[in-house]
Amino acid sequence: MVTMQSDALSGFEPRYKWPSPSFPFRAYFDSPQLRIFIIENISHNWDWLCQYSKRFQERDYFFVFCGWNHSNWFADQALKTLEVLDLSKDGFFFLYNSLEEQEIFSDRGFSGELINQNAWIDENQTMQRLRLTKKYDAIYVARRTAFKRHMLAEKVSHLAIVAGNNHGNNLAPVPHADYINPHPLEPSEVCEKINESRCGLILSAEEGACFASSEYLLCGIPVVSTSSKGGRDVWYDSYNSIICDPDPQDIADAVAYFKAHPPDPEVIRANHIEEARKHRLRFIEALERILHQHGVRGLDVHRYFYDNFYHKMRKSIKPDFEAIFPPLI
């Protein structure tokens, strides 16, 4: 379990911390034997961990989302954060987006399983298959940030671009497109644009599992992706996707292939839902195992999971840490 923080912080401070007082945090389970919290990354949470980790109780436990590709750098930052704060790795369980992440963190003694964050997209919400006339050969749903590499789609004909919140980054250039959203779209409007497209583009080299990638599949359209790190390819197979080199002509050719050979949208959607069910079941089994290890029995864990499930399973809030972690008596 979690142990006490040392007084000396050794001059260490992570390179990146949440810049806003509101960030992904959730109290997920509470009993006299065990409290479970869901956080995103470890080192990003440095500020509040540094202030409140001395107040952690023996029953406190953390599930950790991997919000970006968790490379060796992320693993080293997490390891150093826990070391400096005198926190045990035994109090943290990682939800990895890829087997590569799992291997990297396991080598450093962390626990976790391949439970990709895209499994938390609620298939009963907005992203549905709609029987709409196709207007666009491809769509790219991505904020206009450089790492999204929009210009790799410059040779795609009849392109739609839907850009969301750019989070303060400089606007990256985009190629000519038949449609570029003039203002932020509601999720239902994004769903319509996806369903008016023959395939979806994901062109970054590295990020997290990328919700938009799976949202395409839940709308029943295939994906044209570049090779990537971060876990989005966990959901791809030879039927629902083509993985290209980061070359505009290769990407245009893959789009042309799906235009000429459209896969069955119902199959694409159903297969994604079935794969998501496997990841959710893996989470339920891990949760049940952790509950039993801490003496929590008699709970219908499967029902608890679905009673406490919500879209993407995370919220950005400003936690009341004084109430959550009061001073130890």
Side-chain angles (χ1 to χ4, degrees), residues 105-120:
F105 276 73
S106 295
D107 286 347
R108 290 163 174 81
F110 286 100
S111 298
E113 291 192 32
L114 176 61
I115 303 172
N116 189 287
Q117 68 171 8
N118 289 10
W120 312 128

Side-chain angles (χ1 to χ4, degrees), residues 61 89-90 92-96 102 105-106 109-113:
Y61 196 90
K89 293 190 293 287
D90 294 342
F92 296 84
F93 185 91
F94 279 81
L95 312 178
Y96 301 116
Q102 184 171 1
F105 276 73
S106 295
F110 286 100
S111 298
E113 291 192 32

Side-chain angles (χ1 to χ4, degrees), residues 219-234:
C219 289
I221 70 169
V223 176
V224 173
S225 169
T226 53
S227 299
S228 63
K229 290 182 177 294
R232 68 179 184 251
D233 57 337
V234 164

Side-chain angles (χ1 to χ4, degrees), residues 46-303:
W46 170 262
D47 282 343
W48 75 264
L49 284 173
C50 190
Q51 186 172 355
Y52 289 98
S53 60
K54 288 191 290 187
R55 299 183 182 183
F56 288 175
Q57 302 173 26
E58 285 295 316
R59 67 190 180 112
D60 290 345
Y61 196 90
F62 295 86
F63 285 144
V64 186
F65 278 115
C66 296
W68 186 265
N69 176 40
H70 267 44
S71 60
N72 285 286
W73 178 85
F74 267 90
D76 289 339
Q77 289 272 294
L79 196 63
K80 185 64 175 178
T81 299
L82 299 189
E83 176 187 317
V84 168
L85 297 179
D86 199 19
L87 296 173
S88 170
K89 293 190 293 287
D90 294 342
F92 296 84
F93 185 91
F94 279 81
L95 312 178
Y96 301 116
N97 287 328
S98 70
L99 289 173
E100 182 182 21
E101 289 178 343
Q102 184 171 1
E103 181 178 348
I104 287 169
F105 276 73
S106 295
D107 286 347
R108 290 163 174 81
F110 286 100
S111 298
E113 291 192 32
L114 176 61
I115 303 172
N116 189 287
Q117 68 171 8
N118 289 10
W120 312 128
I121 298 173
D122 188 347
E123 67 273 13
N124 297 313
Q125 284 204 11
T126 308
M127 295 303 157
Q128 302 285 332
R129 190 239 165 157
L130 306 176
R131 290 172 172 81
L132 301 179
T133 301
K134 300 296 185 183
K135 298 181 180 179
Y136 313 105
D137 289 353
I139 186 170
Y140 195 9
V141 178
R143 52 193 169 104
R144 287 186 58 179
T145 305
F147 78 86
K148 292 289 188 176
R149 304 195 298 187
H150 286 76
M151 292 307 297
L152 289 176
E154 64 183 349
K155 293 188 176 182
V156 173
S157 301
H158 305 299
L159 174 67
I161 293 174
V162 173
N165 188 331
N166 208 36
H167 302 291
N169 294 301
N170 294 328
L171 285 180
V174 296
H176 170 77
D178 288 5
Y179 174 85
I180 299 178
N181 58 310
H183 52 75
L185 301 184
E186 294 296 324
S188 60
E189 296 174 303
V190 177
C191 177
E192 288 182 8
K193 287 299 175 188
I194 293 174
N195 275 275
E196 290 174 344
S197 306
R198 300 181 188 278
C199 67
L201 304 179
I202 300 291
L203 305 177
S204 59
E206 178 182 4
E207 55 178 299
C210 185
F211 288 126
S213 175
S214 284
E215 288 170 349
Y216 296 152
L217 300 175
L218 286 171
C219 289
I221 70 169
V223 176
V224 173
S225 169
T226 53
S227 299
S228 63
K229 290 182 177 294
R232 68 179 184 251
D233 57 337
V234 164
W235 305 95
Y236 299 163
D237 57 41
S238 60
Y239 188 74
N240 69 13
S241 61
I242 296 175
I243 299 177
C244 303
D245 291 330
D247 175 80
Q249 189 59 57
D250 285 356
I251 291 161
D253 290 346
V255 171
Y257 177 85
F258 279 132
K259 182 177 181 179
H261 306 90
D264 186 331
E266 296 295 347
V267 172
I268 289 178
R269 175 176 165 82
N271 286 350
H272 190 285
I273 292 172
E274 175 58 22
E275 285 301 308
R277 187 195 66 80
K278 295 175 184 177
H279 286 254
R280 294 174 188 177
L281 181 59
R282 209 172 291 144
F283 178 88
I284 292 168
E285 291 172 346
L287 174 61
E288 184 170 37
R289 188 168 61 250
I290 290 163
L291 291 173
H292 286 181
Q293 287 170 357
H294 294 87
V296 180
R297 300 185 182 278
L299 178 71
D300 185 335
V301 180
H302 191 276
R303 179 170 182 176

